[in-house]
Amino acid sequence: MDIAALRENNPEHWMKATAIRALTLDAVAAANSGHSGMPMGMADVATVLFEKHLKFDVSNPQWPDRDRFILSAGHGSMLIYSLLYLMGDKQVTLDQVKNFRQMGALTAGHPENFLIDAVETTTGPLGQGIANSVGFAMAEEIQRAQYGRKLVDHNTYVIAGDGCLMEGISQEAIGLAGRHSLGNLIVFWDNNNITIDGTVELSDRTNQVQRFKASGWHVQEIDGHDPEAIDAAIVAAKKTKKPSMIACKTHIAIGHAAQDTSKGHGALTDADQLAAAKAAYGWPGAAFEVPADIKAQWEAIGTRGAAEREAWEARFAEASKQKQDRFNRAYALDAPNKLSATIKALKKQISEQQPKVATRKSSEMALAAINPIMPETVGGSADLTGSNNTKTSDLGVFDTDNRKGRYIYWGIREHGMASAMNGMALHGGIRPYGGTFFCFTDYARPAMRLAALSKIPTVFVMTHDSIGVGEDGPTHQPVEHLAICRATPNTYVFRPADTVETAESWELALSSKETPSVLALTRQNLPTVRTEHKLANLTSKGAYVLAEAEGKRQVILIATGSEVSTALDAKALLEAEGIGTRVVSMPCMELFAEQDEAYRRKVLPAGAAVRVGIEAAVRQGWDQWLLGERAKPGKSDFVGMDRFGASAPAGELFEKFGITAANVADKVKALL
């Protein structure tokens, strides 16, 4: 690579791009940690994108109609930190760059959306960013159809590396984008042929250009260090109605001794090699110093979008008050005022009619009431629409000829669905939810974790939540998945006992602003256990007394979901023998843990009462309520699963594994 020729061909561009490279080298060296090579290699692409194309105003990085920039190759985080500092971002100061990867700094090792306003999504696990971008692009299409092009008209740009494209989720994302002709999505592939272990050929021989073309993408191949070629490719990409992939042939760690090697991927900290690279670049000054003229050019780039933002604000001011209010409410993640009354009305109806239905059906009933009053909801399923019950009649199907459709057929892509839903939530103005079988949280898990980490309220509708699946057998019967979801920080796991609790769970999930929700729902029919209508949302407390002991309380049965009715049946058996039994429904352990101690002690009072937990899942996570909360030692037990299920009718399975009222009663009597 002839660095001198690059400098001479376009010296002004070269110095702006080299500011990114120099800051990256300095920050990684100071931290003695990080990834230098990608920001150095993609600096030319980023410079052209931000200077000539990206609709962005550094003074208002969350302006709703901005273009979105996603760094899928999140290990190269110094690329985005350098850009933001150079453009004058108020959060990413020079001190932040100097403290890259240090405790308390906003400049974390991988970009985190909740730390920096201009970071659109948390990336690092490879492939997540490109999958998020599909959700971003879909959200833009849906909102443009809802509000009109005057208010919504922007693109989503992604930088993805070889690693992103090796991860399986990338094909799920690429196939979705091609199927839906997401012409507002433009991906730059950092084609540097290097991974941590060595060259890509060690592990892969995929022709990525042909792969994208086969999936319905517009594809171009360019020199990723030629600013004129980069510019022309972006111009062409913005004109096509297909999603675009621009294959940018680059040199990782360009101009450094580690160029084009696996060492160039990681932290380049050798002082002599750093100095030699800067000398080759023609870069003046000491560490972290950017010449004033170059900094001024970058700051001008940062404010280039201000005029477009102001024009948008003027157009928004001309929109009807109703449209403005709806737009602002959706972006603020505020539930409509009607939501509470709608849920109360449904609860009253259910308490009176007392239907016996599966909670997956209960969920559909709740959504049928909710979706018409929340135009920001977007539903879907990973090829299980009829089983997950996630589609309501008013939604319409999102497609190339119906961008107003609010239901998405995701196909057999649990991981891609979950990640794209995260992208929708991060885009703003959309409340996404999507369904699959609960056991397939295994496939969606990386995106579910990132939803929690990113503080976004994505809703994961997980049906067929136990051995109640029945004949499909242990491959489809989740036993450990409740524990896994509950072990994830910042996640609400709802396992409702009937339609009333399901409706309450939906109200809470769609009112959350920073916490994702998992709704674990049954395949088998359940009786209505909340037969007395209550205006209050009892599920919001996490647990509550569903049925009090008739005499002196000797026993507390704690149950979730389908096992609440089992607990009520066990109570009847015990009360018949004069054993006073309280039944506590615990639809959300996380919310119960958030309550003050006085409330928790009211529900689970200290004392000699026997406590038995009942749930068709493994015990992990239950001991906090069975052994803690001032429980008496040796006075508790758990009725649930300690192995995988089996293939048989659901009723037989509950009998086989002892999840029955009779077995619960026997456990209680053995403890008394």
Side-chain angles (χ1 to χ4, degrees), residues 14-39:
W14 174 258
M15 293 306 282
K16 286 198 290 282
T18 295
I20 297 171
R21 297 183 176 107
L23 285 169
T24 294
L25 284 167
D26 292 338
V28 171
N32 197 32
S33 170
H35 300 80
S36 311
M38 192 285 281

mmCIF file of all heavy atoms in Angstrom, residues 14-39:
data_model
loop_
_atom_site.group_PDB
_atom_site.id
_atom_site.type_symbol
_atom_site.label_atom_id
_atom_site.label_comp_id
_atom_site.label_asym_id
_atom_site.label_seq_id
_atom_site.Cartn_x
_atom_site.Cartn_y
_atom_site.Cartn_z
ATOM 1 N N TRP A 14 -7.199 12.977 3.116
ATOM 2 C CA TRP A 14 -6.267 12.107 3.827
ATOM 3 C C TRP A 14 -6.049 12.572 5.265
ATOM 4 O O TRP A 14 -6.069 11.776 6.199
ATOM 5 C CB TRP A 14 -4.926 12.054 3.093
ATOM 6 C CG TRP A 14 -3.893 11.301 3.860
ATOM 7 C CD1 TRP A 14 -2.878 11.817 4.606
ATOM 8 C CD2 TRP A 14 -3.811 9.886 4.019
ATOM 9 N NE1 TRP A 14 -2.157 10.823 5.219
ATOM 10 C CE2 TRP A 14 -2.706 9.612 4.867
ATOM 11 C CE3 TRP A 14 -4.540 8.811 3.522
ATOM 12 C CZ2 TRP A 14 -2.321 8.330 5.229
ATOM 13 C CZ3 TRP A 14 -4.159 7.525 3.884
ATOM 14 C CH2 TRP A 14 -3.066 7.284 4.726
ATOM 15 N N MET A 15 -5.876 13.857 5.459
ATOM 16 C CA MET A 15 -5.607 14.347 6.814
ATOM 17 C C MET A 15 -6.835 14.222 7.719
ATOM 18 O O MET A 15 -6.711 13.922 8.915
ATOM 19 C CB MET A 15 -5.108 15.785 6.768
ATOM 20 C CG MET A 15 -3.733 15.921 6.107
ATOM 21 S SD MET A 15 -2.460 14.858 6.850
ATOM 22 C CE MET A 15 -2.083 15.792 8.335
ATOM 23 N N LYS A 16 -8.024 14.448 7.170
ATOM 24 C CA LYS A 16 -9.236 14.261 7.991
ATOM 25 C C LYS A 16 -9.364 12.801 8.421
ATOM 26 O O LYS A 16 -9.670 12.506 9.580
ATOM 27 C CB LYS A 16 -10.482 14.711 7.210
ATOM 28 C CG LYS A 16 -10.630 16.210 7.086
ATOM 29 C CD LYS A 16 -12.037 16.624 6.724
ATOM 30 C CE LYS A 16 -12.394 16.245 5.297
ATOM 31 N NZ LYS A 16 -11.810 17.159 4.310
ATOM 32 N N ALA A 17 -9.151 11.882 7.483
ATOM 33 C CA ALA A 17 -9.246 10.455 7.810
ATOM 34 C C ALA A 17 -8.142 10.039 8.770
ATOM 35 O O ALA A 17 -8.355 9.213 9.676
ATOM 36 C CB ALA A 17 -9.185 9.616 6.535
ATOM 37 N N THR A 18 -6.971 10.635 8.586
ATOM 38 C CA THR A 18 -5.850 10.264 9.437
ATOM 39 C C THR A 18 -6.040 10.756 10.866
ATOM 40 O O THR A 18 -5.487 10.177 11.812
ATOM 41 C CB THR A 18 -4.534 10.787 8.832
ATOM 42 O OG1 THR A 18 -4.320 10.120 7.593
ATOM 43 C CG2 THR A 18 -3.348 10.515 9.739
ATOM 44 N N ALA A 19 -6.853 11.778 11.066
ATOM 45 C CA ALA A 19 -7.174 12.193 12.428
ATOM 46 C C ALA A 19 -7.817 11.034 13.192
ATOM 47 O O ALA A 19 -7.553 10.832 14.384
ATOM 48 C CB ALA A 19 -8.102 13.404 12.398
ATOM 49 N N ILE A 20 -8.670 10.275 12.514
ATOM 50 C CA ILE A 20 -9.290 9.093 13.135
ATOM 51 C C ILE A 20 -8.222 8.065 13.476
ATOM 52 O O ILE A 20 -8.204 7.495 14.581
ATOM 53 C CB ILE A 20 -10.344 8.485 12.188
ATOM 54 C CG1 ILE A 20 -11.481 9.475 11.925
ATOM 55 C CG2 ILE A 20 -10.877 7.166 12.745
ATOM 56 C CD1 ILE A 20 -12.441 9.038 10.831
ATOM 57 N N ARG A 21 -7.310 7.838 12.537
ATOM 58 C CA ARG A 21 -6.268 6.827 12.751
ATOM 59 C C ARG A 21 -5.356 7.225 13.918
ATOM 60 O O ARG A 21 -5.026 6.395 14.772
ATOM 61 C CB ARG A 21 -5.447 6.665 11.472
ATOM 62 C CG ARG A 21 -6.252 6.162 10.287
ATOM 63 C CD ARG A 21 -5.387 5.956 9.050
ATOM 64 N NE ARG A 21 -6.177 5.400 7.984
ATOM 65 C CZ ARG A 21 -6.588 6.071 6.897
ATOM 66 N NH1 ARG A 21 -6.249 7.343 6.735
ATOM 67 N NH2 ARG A 21 -7.332 5.481 5.984
ATOM 68 N N ALA A 22 -4.965 8.476 13.943
ATOM 69 C CA ALA A 22 -4.036 8.931 14.980
ATOM 70 C C ALA A 22 -4.681 8.860 16.366
ATOM 71 O O ALA A 22 -4.055 8.404 17.337
ATOM 72 C CB ALA A 22 -3.579 10.356 14.672
ATOM 73 N N LEU A 23 -5.915 9.314 16.470
ATOM 74 C CA LEU A 23 -6.608 9.250 17.756
ATOM 75 C C LEU A 23 -6.794 7.806 18.207
ATOM 76 O O LEU A 23 -6.686 7.486 19.402
ATOM 77 C CB LEU A 23 -7.965 9.955 17.663
ATOM 78 C CG LEU A 23 -7.931 11.483 17.634
ATOM 79 C CD1 LEU A 23 -9.300 12.033 17.269
ATOM 80 C CD2 LEU A 23 -7.477 12.043 18.984
ATOM 81 N N THR A 24 -7.084 6.926 17.258
ATOM 82 C CA THR A 24 -7.239 5.510 17.586
ATOM 83 C C THR A 24 -5.944 4.940 18.140
ATOM 84 O O THR A 24 -5.934 4.261 19.183
ATOM 85 C CB THR A 24 -7.680 4.725 16.339
ATOM 86 O OG1 THR A 24 -8.983 5.146 15.951
ATOM 87 C CG2 THR A 24 -7.682 3.228 16.605
ATOM 88 N N LEU A 25 -4.831 5.204 17.449
ATOM 89 C CA LEU A 25 -3.545 4.697 17.918
ATOM 90 C C LEU A 25 -3.219 5.236 19.305
ATOM 91 O O LEU A 25 -2.772 4.486 20.190
ATOM 92 C CB LEU A 25 -2.446 5.089 16.922
ATOM 93 C CG LEU A 25 -2.402 4.278 15.626
ATOM 94 C CD1 LEU A 25 -1.499 4.951 14.597
ATOM 95 C CD2 LEU A 25 -1.930 2.846 15.886
ATOM 96 N N ASP A 26 -3.465 6.520 19.525
ATOM 97 C CA ASP A 26 -3.150 7.123 20.825
ATOM 98 C C ASP A 26 -4.017 6.555 21.947
ATOM 99 O O ASP A 26 -3.529 6.250 23.039
ATOM 100 C CB ASP A 26 -3.336 8.644 20.751
ATOM 101 C CG ASP A 26 -2.301 9.316 19.862
ATOM 102 O OD1 ASP A 26 -1.228 8.718 19.643
ATOM 103 O OD2 ASP A 26 -2.576 10.433 19.378
ATOM 104 N N ALA A 27 -5.324 6.435 21.682
ATOM 105 C CA ALA A 27 -6.242 5.964 22.722
ATOM 106 C C ALA A 27 -5.968 4.511 23.087
ATOM 107 O O ALA A 27 -5.969 4.143 24.272
ATOM 108 C CB ALA A 27 -7.683 6.137 22.259
ATOM 109 N N VAL A 28 -5.745 3.672 22.094
ATOM 110 C CA VAL A 28 -5.486 2.256 22.363
ATOM 111 C C VAL A 28 -4.149 2.087 23.077
ATOM 112 O O VAL A 28 -4.024 1.280 24.005
ATOM 113 C CB VAL A 28 -5.525 1.449 21.050
ATOM 114 C CG1 VAL A 28 -5.042 0.021 21.275
ATOM 115 C CG2 VAL A 28 -6.935 1.437 20.478
ATOM 116 N N ALA A 29 -3.157 2.878 22.674
ATOM 117 C CA ALA A 29 -1.856 2.802 23.339
ATOM 118 C C ALA A 29 -1.974 3.245 24.796
ATOM 119 O O ALA A 29 -1.396 2.625 25.703
ATOM 120 C CB ALA A 29 -0.839 3.658 22.600
ATOM 121 N N ALA A 30 -2.731 4.316 25.044
ATOM 122 C CA ALA A 30 -2.894 4.804 26.418
ATOM 123 C C ALA A 30 -3.615 3.781 27.279
ATOM 124 O O ALA A 30 -3.291 3.595 28.458
ATOM 125 C CB ALA A 30 -3.653 6.124 26.415
ATOM 126 N N ALA A 31 -4.602 3.118 26.702
ATOM 127 C CA ALA A 31 -5.360 2.108 27.442
ATOM 128 C C ALA A 31 -4.613 0.791 27.542
ATOM 129 O O ALA A 31 -4.949 -0.055 28.380
ATOM 130 C CB ALA A 31 -6.710 1.876 26.765
ATOM 131 N N ASN A 32 -3.617 0.624 26.654
ATOM 132 C CA ASN A 32 -2.927 -0.666 26.521
ATOM 133 C C ASN A 32 -3.932 -1.780 26.263
ATOM 134 O O ASN A 32 -3.783 -2.909 26.715
ATOM 135 C CB ASN A 32 -2.092 -0.981 27.765
ATOM 136 C CG ASN A 32 -1.067 -2.075 27.503
ATOM 137 O OD1 ASN A 32 -0.559 -2.196 26.389
ATOM 138 N ND2 ASN A 32 -0.776 -2.879 28.512
ATOM 139 N N SER A 33 -4.980 -1.426 25.517
ATOM 140 C CA SER A 33 -6.092 -2.354 25.302
ATOM 141 C C SER A 33 -6.975 -1.790 24.193
ATOM 142 O O SER A 33 -7.141 -0.577 24.077
ATOM 143 C CB SER A 33 -6.896 -2.492 26.598
ATOM 144 O OG SER A 33 -8.104 -3.180 26.395
ATOM 145 N N GLY A 34 -7.566 -2.672 23.403
ATOM 146 C CA GLY A 34 -8.490 -2.213 22.372
ATOM 147 C C GLY A 34 -8.186 -2.824 21.022
ATOM 148 O O GLY A 34 -7.390 -3.755 20.898
ATOM 149 N N HIS A 35 -8.813 -2.274 20.011
ATOM 150 C CA HIS A 35 -8.678 -2.799 18.652
ATOM 151 C C HIS A 35 -8.399 -1.633 17.707
ATOM 152 O O HIS A 35 -9.285 -0.830 17.416
ATOM 153 C CB HIS A 35 -9.950 -3.538 18.238
ATOM 154 C CG HIS A 35 -10.277 -4.703 19.120
ATOM 155 N ND1 HIS A 35 -10.905 -4.546 20.348
ATOM 156 C CD2 HIS A 35 -10.050 -6.040 18.985
ATOM 157 C CE1 HIS A 35 -11.056 -5.732 20.913
ATOM 158 N NE2 HIS A 35 -10.544 -6.646 20.115
ATOM 159 N N SER A 36 -7.184 -1.579 17.235
ATOM 160 C CA SER A 36 -6.751 -0.447 16.421
ATOM 161 C C SER A 36 -7.070 -0.609 14.945
ATOM 162 O O SER A 36 -7.406 0.359 14.254
ATOM 163 C CB SER A 36 -5.235 -0.250 16.577
ATOM 164 O OG SER A 36 -4.849 -0.233 17.924
ATOM 165 N N GLY A 37 -6.949 -1.820 14.438
ATOM 166 C CA GLY A 37 -6.880 -2.033 12.999
ATOM 167 C C GLY A 37 -8.096 -1.616 12.205
ATOM 168 O O GLY A 37 -7.973 -1.015 11.140
ATOM 169 N N MET A 38 -9.321 -1.945 12.696
ATOM 170 C CA MET A 38 -10.525 -1.632 11.918
ATOM 171 C C MET A 38 -10.742 -0.130 11.768
ATOM 172 O O MET A 38 -10.995 0.348 10.661
ATOM 173 C CB MET A 38 -11.750 -2.313 12.523
ATOM 174 C CG MET A 38 -12.990 -2.275 11.634
ATOM 175 S SD MET A 38 -13.823 -0.680 11.575
ATOM 176 C CE MET A 38 -14.707 -0.739 13.120
ATOM 177 N N PRO A 39 -10.661 0.671 12.852
ATOM 178 C CA PRO A 39 -10.834 2.108 12.660
ATOM 179 C C PRO A 39 -9.805 2.701 11.694
ATOM 180 O O PRO A 39 -10.131 3.613 10.920
ATOM 181 C CB PRO A 39 -10.649 2.672 14.073
ATOM 182 C CG PRO A 39 -10.984 1.543 14.987
ATOM 183 C CD PRO A 39 -10.524 0.315 14.280
#
